[in-house]
């Protein structure tokens, strides 16, 4: 299957930034009207038992993970490795009935489209707590079941207890009793609600922002039909209640008690058959696909002064994304990671909640990371790498999880903008396809919480693809914790701060490497008056999430989480290095160069790309120069001379 890139709506030349130098405060005064009768919002634990009983039949051509992987779509039988010593200690929680993901991961279950009886489960990653299913939301209690007794549709001109906005013309929500979002009992998923609690606006909260927040809260309780298979019904950007027909469509789209047990339709089965191993639909989502050839990576990064005469200004175009490169060594690498990772701690139920590296294997971590982390171990490995880089421990992660739950009942001034961006983030992935499906709701909650983490950064559009990628491997709580570590420890704070100072610093370092190693390319940029920000902004803002196939993106993130921010400067240099002859072509011009560097890059050989990056980042002299250039940039900013220092 073809790996489909995540997509965003910005222009081809650069990412569309939601905010520049001035951003509003992230939060309002916390409301005293947010009361609770049942604790945290429902996270669909009621469906977990049923879903877990149906897990593991469809496998989407994904290579064997070594743990009960089954690929019925490709007609292959399961090949299970000899279990590693910790296989029975898998963090696939024994106290939770969460189904596994695409493959039965020894480290975490981040995706699963498999079911013996044709019922697919689309879940987030596993944790010791009960998880949310991406297929549907929990069925309503008997007295609230849409099929047994449909919720009352209050007249749009009359307010209702559960919908304070219903008195506004054209803004009524379906009258579904909701349990307010509260951190008081985050793990209480045993029942929907013991009463009809209501969620109210906070003091000074914009009515549109509250409409968004309350809609997501209600749909967390009720769920939607056909999660992952249908487009869904818009409820926030286009208010429900403009007509009786819109109200009926919205009501029909709500999940009922049969959603979790019904058989898949033929169309839904066909949808699953057209997914690649990562859950992307077999569609093209970029209009300029070009080959990133491997031959330039045979030569190490060094000073190149000559140009190739007669070279064309355009690179080799690709009509469609090729199938993901076969991971022929993944089975062997799974076994190696099985022995390299070890259990660091367990929760009260005995389930693994933290992994570590065996001291005897620590020297092999770097080499094995650059060779590619096996996908079934990726969530555990990423967490290990982030913990090591940020020097965070279990206690800090527990605090971040608690902060995430607490933030869900706090409004953010960015809620409306986040809601606008959610449905257009990674549109090609089944997890985020359905409007207000579990994936979109999780993405909204994570971005909402992140916008409250740092008042200076707030929220900007580039955060969406990063959060969505993390949600493919982590639960919302862990995805939030990962984003906070990226923000605090991986210099993403400076990338997302007003004015994007970290972005400009990275571009300054990139330009210095280009000037030193490829002077002819640097001269061509000056000749054609091409600023690096015009093509590289989206690379740094999204961590290349929208510029390379998903499989390549994951490999780059493996290295990034190990090495830190310098990796993406090297990746940017790698792209320019490959196309240096096209950029310096006699027939090149502003449009051709900008179009070339704004394309979607498909590596001919991922291993060659990662091997080249590893060699460059291992160059101690270059790394020292990069550090010096960062210090030079800081001095330029202090003296006010930085505005003249970039192309």
């Amino acid at each position: 299957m073809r790996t489909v890139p995540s997509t965003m709506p910005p222009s081809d030349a650069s990412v569309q930034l939601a905010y520049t130098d001035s951003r509003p405060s992230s939060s309002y005064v916390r409301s005293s009207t947010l009361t609770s009768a049942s604790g945290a919002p429902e996270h669909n634990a009621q469906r977990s038992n049923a879903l877990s009983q149906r897990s593991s039949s469809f496998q989407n051509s994904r290579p064997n993970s070594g743990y009960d992987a089954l690929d019925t779509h490709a007609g292959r039988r399961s090949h299970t490795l000899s279990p590693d010593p910790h296989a029975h200690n898998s963090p696939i929680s024994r106290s939770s009935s969460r189904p596994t993901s695409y493959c039965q991961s020894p480290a975490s279950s981040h995706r699963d489209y498999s079911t013996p009886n044709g019922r697919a489960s689309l879940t987030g990653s596993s944790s010791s707590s009960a998880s949310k299913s991406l297929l549907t939301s929990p069925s309503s209690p008997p007295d609230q079941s849409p099929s047994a007794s449909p919720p009352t549709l209050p007249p749009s001109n009359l307010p209702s207890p559960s919908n304070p906005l219903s008195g506004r013309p054209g803004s009524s929500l379906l009258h579904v009793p909701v349990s307010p979002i509260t951190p008081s009992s985050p793990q209480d998923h045993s029942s929907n609600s013991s009463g009809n609690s209501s969620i109210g606006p906070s003091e000074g909260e914009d009515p549109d922002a509250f409409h968004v927040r309350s809609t997501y809260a209600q749909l967390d309780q009720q769920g939607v039909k056909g999660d992952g298979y249908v487009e869904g019904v818009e409820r926030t950007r286009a208010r429900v209640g403009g007509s009786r027909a819109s109200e009926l469509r919205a009501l029909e789209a709500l999940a009922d008690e049969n959603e979790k047990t019904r058989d898949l339709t033929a169309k839904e089965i066909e949808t699953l058959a057209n997914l690649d191993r990562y859950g992307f639909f077999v569609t093209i989502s970029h209009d300029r696909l070009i080959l990133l050839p491997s031959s330039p990576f045979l030569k190490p990064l060094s000073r190149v002064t000559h140009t190739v005469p007669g070279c064309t200004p355009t690179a080799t175009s690709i009509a469609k994304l090729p199938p993901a490169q076969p991971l022929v060594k993944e089975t062997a690498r799974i076994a190696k990671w099985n022995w390299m990772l070890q259990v660091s701690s367990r929760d009260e139920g005995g389930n693994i909640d933290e992994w570590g590296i065996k001291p005897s294997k620590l020297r092999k971590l770097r080499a094995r990371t650059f060779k590619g982390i096996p996908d079934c171990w990726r969530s555990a490995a990423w967490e290990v790498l982030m913990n090591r880089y940020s020097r965070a421990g279990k206690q800090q992660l527990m605090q971040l999880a608690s902060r995430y739950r607490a933030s869900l009942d706090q409004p953010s001034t960015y809620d409306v903008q986040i809601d606008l961006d959610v449905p257009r983030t990674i549109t090609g992935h089944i997890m985020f396809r359905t409007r207000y499906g579990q994936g979109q709701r999780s993405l909204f909650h994570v971005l909402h919480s992140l916008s409250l983490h740092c008042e200076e950064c707030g929220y900007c559009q580039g955060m969406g693809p990063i959060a969505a990628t993390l949600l493919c491997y982590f639960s919302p709580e862990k995805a939030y914790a990962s984003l906070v570590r990226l923000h605090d420890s991986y210099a993403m704070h400076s990338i997302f701060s007003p004015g994007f100072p970290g972005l400009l610093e990275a571009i300054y370092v990139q330009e210095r490497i280009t000037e030193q190693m490829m002077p002819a390319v640097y001269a061509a940029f000056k000749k054609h008056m091409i600023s690096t920000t015009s093509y590289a902004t989206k690379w740094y803002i999204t961590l290349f999430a929208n510029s390379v196939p998903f499989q390549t993106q994951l490999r780059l993130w493996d290295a990034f989480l190990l090495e830190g921010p310098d990796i993406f400067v090297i990746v940017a240099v790698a792209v320019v290095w490959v196309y240096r002859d096209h950029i310096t072509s006699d027939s090149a011009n502003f449009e051709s160069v900008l179009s070339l560097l704004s394309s979607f890059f498909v590596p001919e050989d991922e291993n060659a790309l990662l091997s080249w990056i590893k060699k460059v980042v291992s160059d101690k002299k270059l790394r020292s120069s990069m550090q010096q250039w960062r210090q030079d940039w800081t001095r330029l900013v202090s003296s006010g001379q930085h505005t003249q220092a970039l192309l």
Side-chain angles (χ1 to χ4, degrees):
M1 293 294 177
R2 295 189 295 276
T3 307
V4 179
S6 49
T7 58
M8 291 177 64
S11 64
D12 294 324
S14 64
V15 73
Q16 176 183 338
L17 304 176
Y19 301 95
T20 52
D21 294 335
S22 177
R23 305 182 193 185
S25 173
S26 298
S27 60
Y28 303 92
V29 177
R30 188 169 177 173
S31 172
S32 60
T33 63
L34 293 172
T35 59
S36 174
S38 63
E42 296 302 324
H43 285 197
N44 302 339
Q46 292 102 322
R47 295 177 306 159
S48 296
N49 287 330
L51 287 172
S52 62
Q53 294 170 3
R54 297 191 300 272
S55 64
S56 265
S57 79
F58 184 84
Q59 196 53 38
N60 298 305
S61 70
R62 188 186 190 91
N64 184 295
S65 69
Y67 284 80
D68 302 329
L70 180 64
D71 186 352
T72 56
H73 171 58
R76 291 186 288 270
R77 297 181 58 186
S78 171
H79 299 280
T80 305
L81 292 176
S82 300
D84 84 282
H86 310 298
H88 65 284
N89 296 330
S90 167
I92 301 173
S93 174
R94 290 176 298 200
S95 62
S96 165
S97 55
R98 181 188 202 101
T100 56
S101 53
Y102 285 167
C103 60
Q104 300 281 351
S105 165
S108 82
S109 52
H110 49 277
R111 296 178 296 272
D112 184 7
Y113 297 149
S114 51
T115 64
N117 65 351
R119 189 75 186 110
S121 71
L122 311 175
T123 71
S125 61
S126 70
S127 65
S128 58
S129 62
S131 65
K132 299 181 180 181
S133 164
L134 289 177
L135 193 59
T136 59
S137 287
S139 57
S140 303
D143 61 336
Q144 297 174 13
S145 170
S147 61
S149 178
T152 304
L153 293 174
S156 59
N157 61 341
L158 295 177
S160 66
S162 63
N163 181 18
L165 291 183
S166 59
R168 297 182 62 200
S171 66
S172 68
L173 290 171
L174 294 179
H175 182 59
V176 180
V178 289
S179 300
I181 302 173
T182 170
S184 58
S185 56
Q187 302 302 328
D188 181 15
H189 308 303
S190 58
S191 63
N192 266 0
S193 175
S194 58
N196 294 343
S197 303
S198 62
I199 179 171
S202 295
E203 181 181 346
E205 183 176 7
D206 178 75
D208 288 332
F210 171 67
H211 173 68
V212 168
R213 190 164 61 94
S214 61
T215 298
Y216 280 89
Q218 291 189 31
L219 292 175
D220 268 337
Q221 184 86 344
Q222 185 72 28
V224 295
K225 286 183 179 178
D227 195 347
Y229 304 106
V230 299
E231 297 298 330
V233 175
E234 181 60 55
R235 299 168 185 269
T236 49
R237 290 182 295 178
R239 296 290 184 94
V240 174
S243 66
R244 177 63 176 173
S246 70
E247 292 179 341
L248 291 176
R249 283 195 301 271
L251 178 61
E252 176 63 25
L254 293 175
D256 57 31
E257 75 280 4
N258 298 318
E259 182 67 16
K260 64 181 181 180
T261 57
R262 68 177 178 84
D263 290 335
L264 288 180
T265 66
K267 186 175 181 180
E268 289 171 340
I269 294 174
E270 181 182 359
T271 297
L272 293 178
N274 283 284
L275 300 177
D276 71 5
R277 69 187 298 242
Y278 297 104
F280 286 91
F281 297 100
V282 184
T283 55
I284 302 267
S285 57
H286 200 285
D287 58 350
R288 285 197 303 276
L289 298 171
I290 63 174
L291 184 70
L292 194 72
S294 59
S295 56
F297 295 130
L298 298 177
K299 182 178 181 179
L301 179 65
S302 58
R303 185 175 177 85
V304 177
T305 57
H306 66 277
T307 60
V308 177
C311 185
T312 63
T314 58
T316 303
S317 297
I318 300 176
K320 59 182 180 180
L321 282 170
Q325 295 179 2
L327 304 177
V328 294
K329 296 184 178 180
E330 179 149 341
T331 299
R333 287 174 180 163
I334 289 170
K336 291 179 180 179
W337 281 82
N338 286 351
W339 290 102
M340 188 166 69
L341 295 180
Q342 66 179 3
V343 179
S344 293
S345 66
R346 299 177 181 274
D347 61 19
E348 295 178 355
N351 303 291
I352 298 172
D353 59 6
E354 187 177 18
W355 291 86
I357 303 291
K358 291 180 181 178
S360 62
K361 303 292 184 181
L362 192 58
R363 60 186 175 84
K364 298 183 178 181
L365 176 62
R366 188 170 188 270
R368 289 180 178 174
T369 299
F370 273 97
K371 287 180 179 179
I373 299 172
D375 205 54
C376 64
W377 272 113
R378 188 160 265 127
S379 59
W382 279 6
E383 195 154 8
V384 167
L385 295 177
M386 285 187 283
N387 287 345
R388 287 175 55 82
Y389 193 89
S390 63
R391 291 179 169 82
K394 181 179 178 179
Q395 190 62 35
Q396 292 91 328
L397 298 182
M398 291 176 63
Q399 292 173 356
L400 288 174
S402 178
R403 188 191 304 173
Y404 168 76
R405 295 189 294 266
S407 67
L408 294 180
D409 72 345
Q410 301 175 23
S412 168
T413 57
Y414 297 97
D415 281 346
V416 172
Q417 183 62 44
I418 292 171
D419 176 61
L420 290 173
D421 293 338
V422 160
R424 55 192 182 186
T425 301
I426 309 193
T427 55
H429 198 286
I430 191 170
M431 185 174 173
F432 304 100
R433 178 185 186 183
T434 300
R435 190 67 176 110
Y436 310 105
Q438 190 66 66
Q440 288 198 16
R441 297 200 305 272
S442 295
L443 182 58
F444 174 84
H445 293 322
V446 168
L447 293 175
H448 162 93
S449 299
L450 184 64
S451 73
L452 297 171
H453 170 68
C454 175
E455 189 167 316
E456 183 179 0
C457 291
Y459 165 79
C460 68
Q461 194 180 53
M463 297 174 178
I466 299 174
T469 300
L470 291 170
L471 282 169
C472 290
Y473 289 88
F474 295 117
S475 66
E477 288 179 359
K478 288 191 174 182
Y480 168 77
S482 299
L483 283 167
V484 170
R485 283 178 287 181
L486 293 182
H487 174 277
D488 296 350
S489 302
Y490 286 83
M492 294 305 291
H493 168 77
S494 61
I495 293 288
F496 291 128
S497 293
F500 309 99
L503 165 67
L504 299 179
E505 178 185 275
I507 285 175
Y508 178 78
V509 175
Q510 177 190 334
E511 289 183 358
R512 299 289 70 75
I513 297 175
T514 303
E515 183 180 26
Q516 183 181 91
M517 299 296 184
M518 297 173 278
V521 172
Y522 187 80
F525 283 144
K526 293 185 70 174
K527 172 185 175 181
H528 301 303
M529 295 186 292
I530 298 173
S531 67
T532 309
T533 56
S534 64
Y535 64 85
T537 295
K538 68 175 182 178
W539 296 351
Y540 293 106
I541 289 289
T542 67
L543 305 182
F544 276 82
N546 297 300
S547 301
V548 294
F550 191 69
Q551 179 172 294
T552 305
Q553 176 196 338
L554 297 177
R555 295 282 304 274
L556 296 178
W557 280 34
D558 293 346
F560 165 63
L561 296 178
L562 174 73
E563 297 283 352
D566 282 354
I567 280 292
F568 285 114
V569 176
I570 301 303
V571 175
V573 171
V575 173
V576 176
W577 173 262
V578 167
Y579 300 121
R580 62 185 185 274
D581 293 335
H582 301 288
I583 296 170
T584 57
S585 170
D586 292 337
S587 54
N589 54 42
F590 175 87
E591 289 79 10
S592 68
V593 174
L594 192 58
S595 176
L596 174 70
L597 297 177
S598 299
S599 301
F600 189 89
F601 311 112
V602 182
E604 181 180 11
D605 185 348
E606 285 179 1
N607 293 324
L609 169 63
L610 268 295
S611 178
W612 189 89
I613 292 172
K614 180 187 175 184
K615 291 177 182 177
V616 173
V617 81
S618 300
D619 186 333
K620 294 182 179 180
K621 183 178 179 180
L622 179 63
R623 293 293 291 273
S624 177
S625 297
M626 293 175 70
Q627 183 64 28
Q628 182 61 51
W629 288 325
R630 292 185 187 277
Q631 295 173 4
D632 292 345
W633 175 256
T634 300
R635 287 192 290 270
L636 289 171
V637 172
S638 299
S639 63
Q641 298 176 315
H642 62 289
T643 56
Q644 305 299 321
L646 299 177
L647 287 173

